[in-house]
Amino acid sequence: LRGATIKELLKNRLNAEDLGGISLSYDVIGDIAVVKFSDKWLEKETIIANTILENNRHIKTVLRQASPVEGAYRTRKLEWIAGEQRTETVHREYNCTFKVDLSKVYFSPRLSFERLRVARLVKPKEVVINMFAGVGCFSIFIGKYSEATRVYSIDINPEAVRLMEENIRLNGLDDRIFAIRGDARDIVGKGLKGVADRVLMPLPEKAFDYLEDALHALKPKGGWIHYYDFAHSRKYENPVAKISNKVSSKLRKLGTNITENGKIVRSVGPNWYQVVLDLMVS
Ligand SMILES: C[S@@+](CC[C@H](N)C(=O)[O-])C[C@H]1O[C@@H](n2cnc3c(N)ncnc32)[C@H](O)[C@@H]1O
């Protein structure tokens, strides 16, 4: 089911004028649908939710996203609309299993291909640090799709770390992935300096501030940093070039040599993009 299809399905239940003005999108995470629509459609929320439930037997709960992703833990406010009253579910993608509680942790099914892309770049025997690991999605993909020796998987949200520990066990990766609770800067500073072949920074809001910490985490010979950021970009601007200029000027000031590759991961709003840079630091 996609936004356009729900609109098709709503044809029988809403009048043409309402239907024309409605803009909605939704994600399916495990057996929960998280729907986004503006406040003016609140009175139609039961119709929208029931349409989703009736047309997809795998979905058991419909929640409305009532705030943007916000705060240090990158969570969002959710309101129950229909079905079973819960925010916990188990999501499966590419043979990986993730238990999540959507009211307490960040999770996006829209990053699944990006997780696979990064995991496939990891070479045998690498040591990896995931600075902002959430419930462990990137780390578990790396555990499943590479022969990395160790993945240190850091998050500051205690609930995310609890679920990450459960997910590491569920996916049978206890011997190679290590969940660590704390601020990535403290954890790297206290015990992970100079150990990594590869560092992941999947927190676009903070990655720029933590770049120096990522450099400290790399082995003295260098390695890879996967750097995520957001860029505003009008029609003839290039969001990847914008982020690339910003990052390379900072790294130049720090006296670091890099080669880089970048791309748009996804569009997150009008003229607003999530970008990744794969930085090779030597
Ligand atoms: C956008 S989420 C990404 C989660 C995960 N990588 C994923 O793709 O599902 C960013 C995560 O960084 C965590 N976080 C925020 N500030 C942090 C910090 N200073 N140190 C470590 N983790 C932090 C948040 O709790 C959140 O789980």
Side-chain angles (χ1 to χ4, degrees), residues 231-240 242 264 269-273:
H232 269 298
S233 188
R234 286 185 303 267
K235 204 168 175 190
Y236 297 105
E237 292 177 323
N238 177 350
V240 179
K242 276 192 165 180
I264 294 173
N271 304 324
W272 186 227
Y273 300 93

Short mmCIF file of all heavy atoms in Angstrom, two decimals, residues 231-240 242 264 269-273:
data_model
loop_
_atom_site.label_atom_id
_atom_site.label_comp_id
_atom_site.label_asym_id
_atom_site.label_seq_id
_atom_site.Cartn_x
_atom_site.Cartn_y
_atom_site.Cartn_z
N ALA A 231 20.70 18.54 3.67
CA ALA A 231 20.96 19.76 2.91
C ALA A 231 19.68 20.27 2.26
O ALA A 231 18.92 19.49 1.69
CB ALA A 231 22.01 19.49 1.85
N HIS A 232 19.50 21.58 2.36
CA HIS A 232 18.46 22.25 1.58
C HIS A 232 19.03 22.48 0.20
O HIS A 232 20.19 22.83 0.06
CB HIS A 232 18.13 23.63 2.18
CG HIS A 232 17.04 23.58 3.17
ND1 HIS A 232 15.77 23.17 2.84
CD2 HIS A 232 17.01 23.88 4.48
CE1 HIS A 232 15.00 23.22 3.91
NE2 HIS A 232 15.73 23.63 4.93
N SER A 233 18.19 22.33 -0.81
CA SER A 233 18.74 22.48 -2.14
C SER A 233 17.63 22.82 -3.13
O SER A 233 16.67 22.08 -3.25
CB SER A 233 19.40 21.15 -2.50
OG SER A 233 20.08 21.26 -3.67
N ARG A 234 17.79 23.98 -3.79
CA ARG A 234 16.79 24.34 -4.79
C ARG A 234 17.10 23.61 -6.10
O ARG A 234 18.10 22.92 -6.21
CB ARG A 234 16.76 25.85 -4.98
CG ARG A 234 16.09 26.57 -3.81
CD ARG A 234 15.96 28.05 -4.09
NE ARG A 234 17.27 28.62 -4.34
CZ ARG A 234 18.04 29.18 -3.42
NH1 ARG A 234 17.63 29.26 -2.18
NH2 ARG A 234 19.23 29.66 -3.73
N LYS A 235 16.25 23.85 -7.10
CA LYS A 235 16.27 23.03 -8.30
C LYS A 235 17.66 22.84 -8.94
O LYS A 235 18.05 21.73 -9.26
CB LYS A 235 15.31 23.62 -9.33
CG LYS A 235 14.83 22.59 -10.32
CD LYS A 235 13.68 23.13 -11.14
CE LYS A 235 13.29 22.14 -12.21
NZ LYS A 235 12.35 22.75 -13.14
N TYR A 236 18.42 23.94 -9.09
CA TYR A 236 19.68 23.78 -9.81
C TYR A 236 20.89 23.65 -8.88
O TYR A 236 22.03 23.78 -9.28
CB TYR A 236 19.87 24.92 -10.81
CG TYR A 236 18.79 24.88 -11.86
CD1 TYR A 236 17.73 25.78 -11.83
CD2 TYR A 236 18.78 23.86 -12.83
CE1 TYR A 236 16.71 25.71 -12.75
CE2 TYR A 236 17.75 23.78 -13.75
CZ TYR A 236 16.72 24.71 -13.71
OH TYR A 236 15.70 24.61 -14.63
N GLU A 237 20.63 23.42 -7.59
CA GLU A 237 21.73 23.22 -6.65
C GLU A 237 21.96 21.72 -6.43
O GLU A 237 21.05 20.92 -6.59
CB GLU A 237 21.40 23.88 -5.31
CG GLU A 237 21.35 25.39 -5.39
CD GLU A 237 20.95 26.00 -4.05
OE1 GLU A 237 20.11 25.42 -3.35
OE2 GLU A 237 21.49 27.06 -3.74
N ASN A 238 23.17 21.41 -6.00
CA ASN A 238 23.50 20.01 -5.78
C ASN A 238 23.71 19.77 -4.27
O ASN A 238 24.69 20.24 -3.70
CB ASN A 238 24.78 19.70 -6.57
CG ASN A 238 25.26 18.29 -6.34
OD1 ASN A 238 24.76 17.59 -5.45
ND2 ASN A 238 26.23 17.87 -7.14
N PRO A 239 22.80 19.06 -3.62
CA PRO A 239 22.91 18.89 -2.17
C PRO A 239 24.19 18.15 -1.76
O PRO A 239 24.76 18.44 -0.71
CB PRO A 239 21.67 18.07 -1.80
CG PRO A 239 21.13 17.53 -3.07
CD PRO A 239 21.60 18.40 -4.17
N VAL A 240 24.64 17.23 -2.60
CA VAL A 240 25.85 16.47 -2.25
C VAL A 240 27.07 17.41 -2.26
O VAL A 240 27.90 17.38 -1.35
CB VAL A 240 26.07 15.29 -3.23
CG1 VAL A 240 27.34 14.53 -2.88
CG2 VAL A 240 24.86 14.36 -3.20
N LYS A 242 27.07 20.60 -1.70
CA LYS A 242 26.97 21.49 -0.53
C LYS A 242 27.60 20.84 0.71
O LYS A 242 28.39 21.43 1.42
CB LYS A 242 25.50 21.77 -0.21
CG LYS A 242 24.90 22.87 -1.01
CD LYS A 242 23.56 23.22 -0.39
CE LYS A 242 23.05 24.55 -0.91
NZ LYS A 242 21.77 24.91 -0.34
N ILE A 264 22.75 11.20 -2.63
CA ILE A 264 21.52 11.46 -1.88
C ILE A 264 20.99 10.12 -1.40
O ILE A 264 20.89 9.17 -2.16
CB ILE A 264 20.47 12.14 -2.80
CG1 ILE A 264 20.96 13.54 -3.19
CG2 ILE A 264 19.11 12.21 -2.12
CD1 ILE A 264 20.07 14.22 -4.22
N GLY A 269 11.84 16.02 2.45
CA GLY A 269 10.85 17.09 2.42
C GLY A 269 11.06 17.85 1.12
O GLY A 269 11.95 17.50 0.35
N PRO A 270 10.26 18.90 0.89
CA PRO A 270 10.46 19.67 -0.35
C PRO A 270 11.84 20.33 -0.35
O PRO A 270 12.18 21.03 0.61
CB PRO A 270 9.35 20.72 -0.29
CG PRO A 270 8.44 20.32 0.84
CD PRO A 270 9.18 19.40 1.74
N ASN A 271 12.64 20.08 -1.37
CA ASN A 271 14.00 20.64 -1.49
C ASN A 271 14.90 20.33 -0.29
O ASN A 271 15.75 21.12 0.10
CB ASN A 271 13.98 22.16 -1.66
CG ASN A 271 13.15 22.59 -2.84
OD1 ASN A 271 13.15 21.89 -3.87
ND2 ASN A 271 12.44 23.68 -2.71
N TRP A 272 14.73 19.20 0.31
CA TRP A 272 15.39 18.88 1.58
C TRP A 272 15.83 17.43 1.50
O TRP A 272 14.99 16.55 1.30
CB TRP A 272 14.37 19.15 2.69
CG TRP A 272 14.73 19.06 4.13
CD1 TRP A 272 14.01 18.41 5.10
CD2 TRP A 272 15.84 19.65 4.82
NE1 TRP A 272 14.62 18.56 6.32
CE2 TRP A 272 15.73 19.31 6.17
CE3 TRP A 272 16.93 20.42 4.40
CZ2 TRP A 272 16.66 19.72 7.12
CZ3 TRP A 272 17.85 20.83 5.35
CH2 TRP A 272 17.71 20.49 6.69
N TYR A 273 17.14 17.19 1.59
CA TYR A 273 17.67 15.86 1.30
C TYR A 273 18.55 15.32 2.42
O TYR A 273 19.26 16.08 3.07
CB TYR A 273 18.52 15.90 0.03
CG TYR A 273 17.74 16.34 -1.17
CD1 TYR A 273 17.72 17.69 -1.54
CD2 TYR A 273 16.99 15.43 -1.91
CE1 TYR A 273 16.97 18.11 -2.62
CE2 TYR A 273 16.24 15.84 -2.99
CZ TYR A 273 16.24 17.18 -3.34
OH TYR A 273 15.49 17.60 -4.40
#
